[in-house]
Amino acid sequence: MKILVINAGSSSLKYQLFDMDTGDVIAKGLCEKIGIGGAITHKRPGKEDYHEEVTFRDHDDAIALVLKLLTDPTLGVIADLSEIDAIGNRVAHGGEKLRRSMLVGDEEINYLYSIVPINPLHGPPAIKGIEACRRLMPGKPLACVFDTSFYATLPDYAYIYPIPYEYYEKYQVRRYGFHGTSHRYVTERAEALVGKPLSELKVITCHLGNGSSITATKYGKAVDTSMGFTPQEGLPMGTRSGSIDPTVVTYLQRVEGLSPEEADKMLNSKSGLLGVSGVSSDGREVWAAANEGNARARLAIDILAYDIKKIIGSYVAAMNGVDVLVFTAGIGENDRALRARVCADMEYLGIAINEDVNMNGPRGKELELTAEGARVKTFVIPTDEEYMIALDTQRLLSK
Ligand code: AMP
C-alpha cells in the first residue's frame, strides 16, 4: 500500500510518499514560495536531489507538479497515480467536532471552513491543500489527521479557561492543544521502548522545536498540554512568547498604541528566544551567542529551561507521578546542553539522566538517557509526524 502525506502551509507544502509494506519513504520533497514565485526540491533515497525554480500560482500548481514528478519516467518512483492508495493530510485544527483522524468529504471540509476564525493562520492553507488533492485526484480516499485530536480526552477542568463561560459557548474559546500527532507518535514509541502498555504508564512528552509544547498522557489518554486556544500558550518558543500575564498585552496596547494585529505580531513573531535574546529565534544561534558571553542570550535559555522544568513538575503533580519522560523535535532531539539543564536537580521526581549518554550518544536515533537507578525512564525519540499520518490513513482504509 502506498500513501501520500501532504502538509500544506501558507506558502509551502511538504510531501512524503510512503510504502506502507516496508514503512519506507520512497520520495519526499518541499514546494516553496507558493503564490509568490515557486521552487520544488524532490528527494528520493539513494538518488540525487532534484531542484527546480518554477511558478506556483497556488496550492493546485504545487500538488500538480508533485504528482507529475512522482510519476515522471526519470525522476519518479511510481508508474501511475493509481499506485497511490490514499492521501493523508496534516491539519492543525479540527475544532470541537473533528476529534479523531478520519476520511473527509464535503461535510468535514465545510466544518473546517467554519472554524477558520479560530484558526486563521493554519486553516486556510490546509483547506487549500485538501481541495487541491480532491481536484487533482478525484475519488482517491482522503484522510485528515488533526494536531488537536489527541487532546479530545482532556478533562473539562484542563481545557476550560476561567473567563466568562459564555465565551466558550459563543466562540469556542478553550484549550485545544497542538502538536498532538507528534506527541502521539513519540508516546506510542515510548510504549514500545519501555515494553509496557500505555494503559499502565504516565508519560510526559516534550516537543521542543521552533514551536514547543509539553503533553501529559496518563494511561494512554492525554490529560493536559501546554498549548491552548492557539499554539501561543505554554513555553517560550523561537518567536512566540508562550504564557505571560494576559494584562501585559492590554497594557502594551494602551501605552504603545498597538492594534490587536500588532499585539498578535509582537506575541507571535517578535517574542520568545528572539525577543529576549535580540539575537535569533534559532536555538543554535542563541546558544552560540550565550557561549560567547551574551547575557540576554543566556537569559533566553535560562527562561526556556526553567519553564520546561516547571511544566514537567506541574504534570507530575497532575498525574500523581511520571514513569516516562521524552524529548523530541529540533531542540529536544539535538540540544544536549538544554536537556542536561532541564533534567538537573529533578531526583526528587525520580528523573536523572546519564550525562555521558546525553552528551555523547548518537544523534537522530531513539536513545535512552536514564541514569542508573533512576525511577523515571528518559528518552530522546525523533518525532515522525508524517509516518503517524500515513499510519492513521492506512488504519482508516483497512477499517
Ligand atoms: P523544529 O521546529 O522541530 O524543526 O526545530 C527547530 C529548532 O531546533 C530550531 O530552533 C533549531 O535551532 C533547533 N535546533 C536544532 N539543532 C539544535 C542544536 N544542536 N542545539 C540547539 N538547537 C537546535
Side-chain angles (χ1 to χ4, degrees):
M1 177 181 285
K2 292 194 179 68
I3 291 176
L4 177 63
V5 173
I6 300 279
N7 182 353
S10 55
S11 65
S12 70
L13 183 144
K14 290 188 224 153
Y15 62 95
Q16 292 199 11
L17 182 63
F18 285 88
D19 180 341
M20 299 308 287
D21 301 329
T22 58
D24 292 337
V25 175
I26 50 180
K28 66 175 182 178
L30 172 68
C31 302
E32 293 172 282
K33 300 188 228 162
I34 299 171
I36 44 173
I40 188 164
T41 307
H42 176 69
K43 301 181 179 199
R44 294 158 302 158
K47 305 227 168 100
E48 209 174 302
D49 293 354
Y50 174 77
H51 184 83
E52 187 184 350
E53 301 283 326
V54 290
T55 303
F56 291 140
R57 285 165 306 177
D58 51 28
H59 290 69
D60 277 49
D61 278 356
I63 294 183
L65 183 57
V66 170
L67 299 180
K68 186 166 164 264
L69 287 183
L70 289 175
T71 51
D72 184 86
T74 41
L75 298 167
V77 289
I78 50 175
D80 191 87
L81 289 183
S82 62
E83 287 182 46
I84 299 176
D85 294 281
I87 306 156
N89 267 279
R90 180 192 180 183
V91 181
H93 210 318
E96 285 228 285
K97 284 211 179 121
L98 307 181
R99 316 298 305 268
R100 57 182 171 78
S101 302
M102 58 180 72
L103 295 170
V104 296
D106 289 343
E107 192 185 329
E108 290 78 18
I109 294 168
N110 287 339
Y111 179 72
L112 289 178
Y113 274 112
S114 78
I115 58 166
V116 164
I118 58 169
N119 183 31
L121 246 50
H122 300 109
I127 297 170
K128 280 184 193 159
I130 296 167
E131 300 268 36
C133 289
R134 293 212 320 162
R135 270 193 290 273
L136 296 164
M137 286 176 279
K140 191 80 75 190
L142 188 70
C144 284
V145 176
F146 306 98
D147 279 10
T148 47
S149 60
F150 190 44
Y151 304 111
T153 51
L154 254 50
D156 52 4
Y157 53 79
Y159 72 73
I160 293 290
Y161 291 116
I163 57 174
Y165 195 78
E166 68 196 75
Y167 296 132
Y168 167 59
E169 294 174 312
K170 260 175 122 172
Y171 307 117
Q172 296 86 50
V173 172
R174 51 160 287 180
R175 176 185 311 287
Y176 288 99
F178 296 88
H179 288 150
T181 310
S182 171
H183 286 285
R184 188 157 57 94
Y185 174 78
V186 297
T187 303
E188 287 187 11
R189 286 302 309 149
E191 175 182 45
L193 293 171
V194 173
K196 256 192 182 182
L198 280 181
S199 57
E200 293 174 18
L201 294 173
K202 297 169 185 172
V203 184
I204 296 178
T205 45
C206 305
H207 176 115
L208 310 172
N210 195 32
S212 297
S213 63
I214 303 188
T215 291
T217 304
K218 187 176 185 182
Y219 305 146
K221 287 183 179 164
V223 291
D224 207 348
T225 192
S226 60
M227 281 179 168
F229 178 56
T230 70
Q232 178 65 240
E233 195 181 345
L235 295 169
M237 312 182 204
T239 58
R240 293 187 199 129
S241 64
S243 297
I244 58 169
D245 177 345
T247 325
V248 169
V249 183
T250 46
Y251 176 73
L252 289 178
Q253 285 188 299
R254 278 196 294 276
V255 295
E256 289 268 313
L258 299 182
S259 66
E261 290 71 26
E262 288 167 330
D264 268 352
K265 192 163 182 209
M266 180 273 288
L267 293 169
N268 253 304
S269 321
K270 298 184 181 172
S271 296
L273 290 179
L274 174 68
V276 176
S277 71
V279 172
S280 170
S281 62
D282 187 298
R284 282 163 295 203
E285 290 175 22
V286 179
W287 266 114
N291 290 336
E292 281 165 15
N294 183 316
R296 274 174 49 190
R298 166 63 51 191
L299 177 60
I301 293 166
D302 288 347
I303 296 171
L304 177 62
Y306 179 66
D307 281 0
I308 297 169
K309 248 180 194 295
K310 268 203 309 196
I311 295 182
I312 292 174
S314 70
Y315 288 172
V316 176
M319 295 194 290
N320 186 24
V322 57
D323 302 302
V324 186
L325 175 66
V326 179
F327 290 96
T328 193
I331 293 177
E333 290 166 33
N334 297 301
D335 192 338
R336 300 162 189 269
L338 187 84
R339 289 198 305 250
R341 287 276 298 275
V342 169
C343 295
D345 305 323
M346 298 275 256
E347 297 87 354
Y348 64 103
L349 294 181
I351 297 168
I353 59 173
N354 180 312
E355 268 177 50
D356 180 43
V357 176
N358 181 50
M359 295 312 287
N360 304 310
R363 255 183 222 284
K365 290 206 165 101
E366 293 178 345
L367 184 66
E368 176 159 7
L369 305 180
T370 318
E372 218 182 304
R375 201 175 39 72
V376 176
K377 295 206 167 285
T378 302
F379 295 96
V380 176
I381 302 181
T383 194
D384 196 342
E385 289 159 287
E386 282 77 12
Y387 183 61
M388 190 82 249
I389 293 168
L391 263 184
D392 275 6
T393 307
Q394 183 186 32
R395 287 169 188 164
L396 287 165
L397 282 191
S398 57
K399 261 190 191 166

Coordinates of all heavy atoms in Angstrom, one line a residue, residues 97-128:
K97 N -15.4 19.5 16.7 CA -16.2 18.4 16.1 C -15.3 17.3 15.6 O -15.6 16.1 15.7 CB -17.1 19.0 15.0 CG -18.3 19.7 15.5 CD -19.4 19.5 14.5 CE -20.7 20.2 15.0 NZ -21.2 21.2 14.1
L98 N -14.2 17.7 14.9 CA -13.4 16.7 14.3 C -12.3 16.2 15.3 O -11.2 16.8 15.4 CB -12.8 17.3 13.0 CG -13.8 17.9 12.0 CD1 -13.1 18.4 10.8 CD2 -14.9 16.9 11.6
R99 N -12.6 15.2 16.0 CA -11.8 14.8 17.2 C -11.0 13.6 17.0 O -10.5 13.0 18.0 CB -12.7 14.6 18.4 CG -13.8 15.7 18.6 CD -13.2 17.0 18.9 NE -12.3 17.1 20.0 CZ -12.6 17.4 21.2 NH1 -13.9 17.6 21.6 NH2 -11.7 17.4 22.1
R100 N -10.9 13.0 15.8 CA -10.1 11.9 15.5 C -9.7 11.9 14.0 O -10.3 12.7 13.3 CB -10.9 10.6 15.8 CG -12.1 10.5 15.1 CD -13.0 9.3 15.4 NE -14.3 9.4 14.8 CZ -14.5 9.2 13.5 NH1 -13.6 8.9 12.7 NH2 -15.7 9.4 13.0
S101 N -8.7 11.1 13.7 CA -8.3 11.1 12.2 C -9.5 10.5 11.5 O -10.2 9.6 12.0 CB -7.1 10.2 12.1 OG -6.0 10.7 12.8
M102 N -9.8 11.0 10.3 CA -10.9 10.5 9.5 C -10.8 10.7 8.0 O -10.0 11.6 7.6 CB -12.2 11.2 10.0 CG -12.2 12.7 9.9 SD -13.7 13.4 10.5 CE -13.6 13.2 12.3
L103 N -11.5 9.9 7.3 CA -11.7 10.2 5.8 C -12.6 11.3 5.7 O -13.7 11.3 6.4 CB -12.2 8.9 5.1 CG -11.2 7.7 5.2 CD1 -11.9 6.5 4.7 CD2 -10.0 8.0 4.4
V104 N -12.3 12.3 4.9 CA -13.2 13.5 4.8 C -13.8 13.7 3.5 O -13.4 13.2 2.5 CB -12.3 14.8 5.2 CG1 -11.8 14.7 6.6 CG2 -11.2 15.0 4.1
G105 N -15.0 14.4 3.6 CA -15.7 14.7 2.4 C -16.3 16.2 2.6 O -15.7 16.9 3.4
D106 N -17.3 16.5 1.8 CA -17.8 17.9 1.8 C -18.2 18.4 3.2 O -17.8 19.5 3.6 CB -19.1 18.0 1.0 CG -18.8 17.9 -0.5 OD1 -17.6 18.0 -0.8 OD2 -19.7 17.5 -1.3
E107 N -18.8 17.5 4.0 CA -19.3 18.0 5.3 C -18.1 18.4 6.2 O -18.2 19.5 6.9 CB -20.0 16.8 6.0 CG -20.8 17.2 7.2 CD -21.4 15.9 7.9 OE1 -21.8 15.0 7.2 OE2 -21.6 16.0 9.1
E108 N -17.1 17.6 6.3 CA -15.9 17.9 7.1 C -15.2 19.2 6.6 O -14.8 20.0 7.4 CB -15.0 16.7 7.2 CG -15.5 15.5 7.9 CD -16.4 14.7 7.1 OE1 -16.5 14.8 5.9 OE2 -17.2 13.9 7.8
I109 N -15.1 19.3 5.3 CA -14.4 20.4 4.7 C -15.2 21.7 5.0 O -14.6 22.7 5.4 CB -14.1 20.2 3.2 CG1 -13.2 19.0 3.0 CG2 -13.6 21.5 2.6 CD1 -13.0 18.5 1.6
N110 N -16.5 21.6 4.9 CA -17.3 22.8 5.3 C -17.1 23.2 6.7 O -17.1 24.4 7.1 CB -18.8 22.5 5.0 CG -19.1 22.5 3.5 OD1 -18.3 23.1 2.8 ND2 -20.2 21.9 3.1
Y111 N -17.0 22.2 7.6 CA -16.8 22.5 9.0 C -15.4 23.2 9.2 O -15.3 24.1 10.0 CB -16.8 21.2 9.9 CG -16.6 21.5 11.3 CD1 -17.5 22.1 12.1 CD2 -15.3 21.1 11.9 CE1 -17.2 22.5 13.4 CE2 -15.1 21.4 13.2 CZ -16.0 22.1 14.0 OH -15.7 22.4 15.3
L112 N -14.4 22.7 8.4 CA -13.1 23.3 8.5 C -13.1 24.8 8.1 O -12.5 25.6 8.7 CB -12.0 22.6 7.7 CG -11.6 21.2 8.2 CD1 -10.6 20.5 7.2 CD2 -11.0 21.3 9.6
Y113 N -13.9 25.1 7.1 CA -14.1 26.5 6.7 C -14.8 27.3 7.9 O -14.4 28.4 8.1 CB -15.1 26.6 5.5 CG -14.4 26.5 4.1 CD1 -14.6 25.4 3.3 CD2 -13.5 27.5 3.7 CE1 -13.9 25.3 2.1 CE2 -12.9 27.4 2.5 CZ -13.1 26.3 1.7 OH -12.4 26.2 0.5
S114 N -15.7 26.6 8.6 CA -16.5 27.3 9.6 C -15.6 27.7 10.8 O -15.9 28.6 11.6 CB -17.7 26.5 10.1 OG -17.3 25.5 10.9
I115 N -14.4 27.0 11.0 CA -13.6 27.3 12.1 C -12.3 28.1 11.8 O -11.5 28.3 12.6 CB -13.2 26.0 12.9 CG1 -12.4 25.0 12.1 CG2 -14.4 25.3 13.6 CD1 -11.7 23.9 12.8
V116 N -12.3 28.6 10.6 CA -11.2 29.5 10.2 C -11.0 30.6 11.1 O -9.9 31.0 11.5 CB -11.3 29.9 8.7 CG1 -10.4 31.1 8.4 CG2 -11.0 28.7 7.8
P117 N -12.1 31.2 11.6 CA -11.9 32.4 12.6 C -11.1 32.0 13.8 O -10.4 32.9 14.3 CB -13.4 32.7 13.0 CG -14.2 32.3 11.8 CD -13.6 31.1 11.3
I118 N -11.2 30.7 14.3 CA -10.3 30.4 15.4 C -9.0 29.8 15.0 O -8.2 29.4 15.8 CB -11.0 29.5 16.4 CG1 -11.5 28.2 15.8 CG2 -12.2 30.2 17.1 CD1 -12.0 27.1 16.8
N119 N -8.8 29.7 13.7 CA -7.5 29.1 13.2 C -7.1 29.8 11.9 O -6.9 29.2 10.9 CB -7.8 27.6 12.9 CG -6.6 26.8 12.4 OD1 -5.4 27.2 12.8 ND2 -6.7 25.8 11.6
P120 N -7.0 31.1 12.0 CA -6.8 31.9 10.8 C -5.5 31.7 10.0 O -5.4 31.8 8.8 CB -6.9 33.4 11.3 CG -6.6 33.3 12.7 CD -7.0 32.0 13.2
L121 N -4.4 31.3 10.8 CA -3.1 31.1 10.2 C -3.0 29.8 9.4 O -2.6 29.7 8.3 CB -2.1 31.2 11.2 CG -1.1 32.4 11.2 CD1 -1.8 33.7 11.1 CD2 -0.2 32.3 12.4
H122 N -3.4 28.7 10.1 CA -3.1 27.4 9.6 C -4.3 26.8 8.8 O -4.2 25.9 8.0 CB -2.7 26.4 10.7 CG -1.5 26.9 11.4 ND1 -1.4 27.4 12.6 CD2 -0.2 27.0 10.9 CE1 -0.2 27.7 13.0 NE2 0.6 27.5 11.9
G123 N -5.6 27.3 9.1 CA -6.8 26.7 8.5 C -6.8 26.9 7.0 O -6.9 25.9 6.2
P124 N -6.7 28.1 6.5 CA -6.9 28.3 5.0 C -5.9 27.5 4.2 O -6.3 26.8 3.2 CB -6.7 29.8 4.8 CG -7.1 30.4 6.2 CD -6.7 29.4 7.2
P125 N -4.5 27.5 4.5 CA -3.7 26.7 3.7 C -4.0 25.2 3.7 O -3.9 24.5 2.7 CB -2.2 27.0 4.2 CG -2.4 27.7 5.5 CD -3.8 28.3 5.5
A126 N -4.4 24.7 4.9 CA -4.7 23.2 5.0 C -5.9 22.9 4.1 O -5.9 21.9 3.4 CB -5.0 22.9 6.4
I127 N -6.9 23.8 4.1 CA -8.1 23.6 3.3 C -7.7 23.6 1.8 O -8.1 22.8 1.0 CB -9.2 24.6 3.6 CG1 -9.6 24.5 5.0 CG2 -10.4 24.5 2.6 CD1 -10.6 25.6 5.5
K128 N -6.8 24.6 1.4 CA -6.4 24.7 0.0 C -5.7 23.4 -0.4 O -5.9 22.9 -1.5 CB -5.4 25.9 -0.1 CG -6.0 27.2 -0.2 CD -5.0 28.3 -0.5 CE -5.6 29.6 -0.3 NZ -4.6 30.7 0.0

